[in-house]
Amino acid sequence: MTLPPGQRAIDGFPRFGTHLHHPPPPIPADPVIEVGGALTEPFTLTTADLAELPRVEVKADFHCVAGWSATDLRWEGVPFATLYRTRVEPLLAPGRPISHVVFAGLDGYQSVALLEDALADDVLIADRLDGQPLTSDHGAPIRLVSPGQYGFVNTKHLCRIEFHTTQPIDPDKWSPLAAHRRARVWAEERHRYLPGRVVRPIYHALIGPIRRMSARGSTERTA
Ligand SMILES: Nc1nc2c(c(=O)[nH]1)N[C@H]1C(S)=C(S)[C@@H](COP(=O)(O)O)O[C@H]1N2
Ligand SMILES: [Mo]
């Protein structure tokens, strides 16, 4: 098994991420994704709308920027590219090409991807993992899955997708730890300014503590 540079395989798939000890947000009775931004009109995507789109299965490893990888996950959902071609492209204003996409979660989390990265074949609006509906720990009811990019792009509890014609406002712009704008795992694009190799040892030291804190908010209450 080959992993991207600086990654180590771990057992299982812990709940991870920046929410640390916060419990995941409750699952809405009728989940929807608001779709808006630089479109001629915004729209709301219901689970019934999503169910009408063709589904695929993607087998992939999942790589956190902190250096651990969960291996052999089987995600199911709708390809982001299919959603884009069928529902978004017809609403684009002439002469206003989309460059960036913002993905927001019910917990207030946001990630930004370049449109070209979001259109990769393996990027999914996912609602199942390993044959089961997503659990709250892993992003219920619906999450973004972009296996070629670090975990932080993979917004869980997805409730809003926004299309932009320029780089959206970036509060981390001057932070030395600003996230890489592309975050491609095989190029080790962890951070915007610091080379991936430099931050590896710091992150590896933090995996244990982050994992323990994150588990405290987990619905499975492991570790
Ligand atoms: N809504 C939301 N999505 C999120 C996060 C978060 O805190 N909130 N953390 C991100 C980070 S940093 C990682 S590594 C992955 C972790 O996914 P997991 O909790 O399913 O292991 O989710 C990403 N998506
Ligand atoms: Mo992460």
Side-chain angles (χ1 to χ4, degrees), residues 200-218:
R200 267 187 213 171
I202 304 164
Y203 271 134
H204 280 154
L206 289 174
I207 291 177
I210 296 174
R211 183 175 181 163
R212 280 189 292 277
M213 276 188 85
S214 194
R216 276 205 278 143
S218 163

Side-chain angles (χ1 to χ4, degrees), residues 42 44 54 75-76 85 103 111-112 118 137 156 167 190 192 204 212 216:
T44 300
W75 302 102
E76 291 167 63
R85 304 282 179 225
F103 298 93
S111 64
V112 186
D137 281 351
K156 306 196 283 187
Q167 163 77 46
R190 296 181 200 269
R192 217 171 291 165
H204 280 154
R212 280 189 292 277
R216 276 205 278 143

Side-chain angles (χ1 to χ4, degrees), residues 4-194:
Q7 295 298 117
R8 299 176 187 173
I10 48 150
D11 285 333
F13 187 23
R15 175 177 189 250
F16 223 85
T18 56
H19 35 50
L20 297 177
H21 60 282
H22 296 289
I27 306 175
D30 293 304
V32 294
I33 301 175
E34 303 291 344
V35 185
L39 308 182
T40 49
E41 54 178 339
F43 66 96
T44 300
L45 201 66
T46 63
T47 37
D49 296 328
L50 272 180
E52 282 174 16
L53 296 171
R55 296 177 62 82
V56 296
E57 193 179 287
V58 166
K59 286 206 175 109
D61 299 339
F62 188 89
H63 312 287
C64 175
V65 74
W68 60 258
S69 300
T71 53
D72 289 323
L73 305 178
R74 184 163 57 87
W75 302 102
E76 291 167 63
V78 172
F80 175 80
T82 305
L83 173 70
Y84 185 76
R85 304 282 179 225
T86 59
R87 299 294 310 270
V88 177
E89 257 178 4
L91 300 175
L92 296 184
R96 299 194 65 204
I98 301 300
S99 59
H100 294 78
V101 192
V102 175
F103 298 93
L106 291 165
D107 57 353
Y109 184 90
Q110 291 202 352
S111 64
V112 186
L114 297 192
L115 178 65
E116 65 179 291
D117 291 333
L119 289 177
D121 284 347
D122 56 357
V123 177
L124 291 190
I125 306 293
D127 55 8
R128 292 174 74 83
L129 168 62
D130 292 334
Q132 304 289 332
L134 286 185
T135 60
S136 285
D137 281 351
H138 291 303
I142 300 166
R143 81 178 296 171
L144 182 74
V145 172
S146 178
Q149 295 177 287
Y150 287 113
F152 65 79
V153 177
N154 295 238
T155 292
K156 306 196 283 187
H157 324 293
L158 191 61
C159 64
R160 183 166 172 79
I161 306 177
E162 243 171 58
F163 292 90
H164 292 258
T165 57
T166 55
Q167 163 77 46
I169 289 170
D170 176 6
D172 285 345
K173 190 163 179 190
W174 303 112
S175 160
L177 286 179
H180 197 282
R181 293 192 202 281
R182 303 200 68 180
R184 291 170 298 181
V185 296
W186 289 99
E188 204 176 353
E189 294 170 332
R190 296 181 200 269
H191 290 281
R192 217 171 291 165
Y193 312 115
L194 293 170

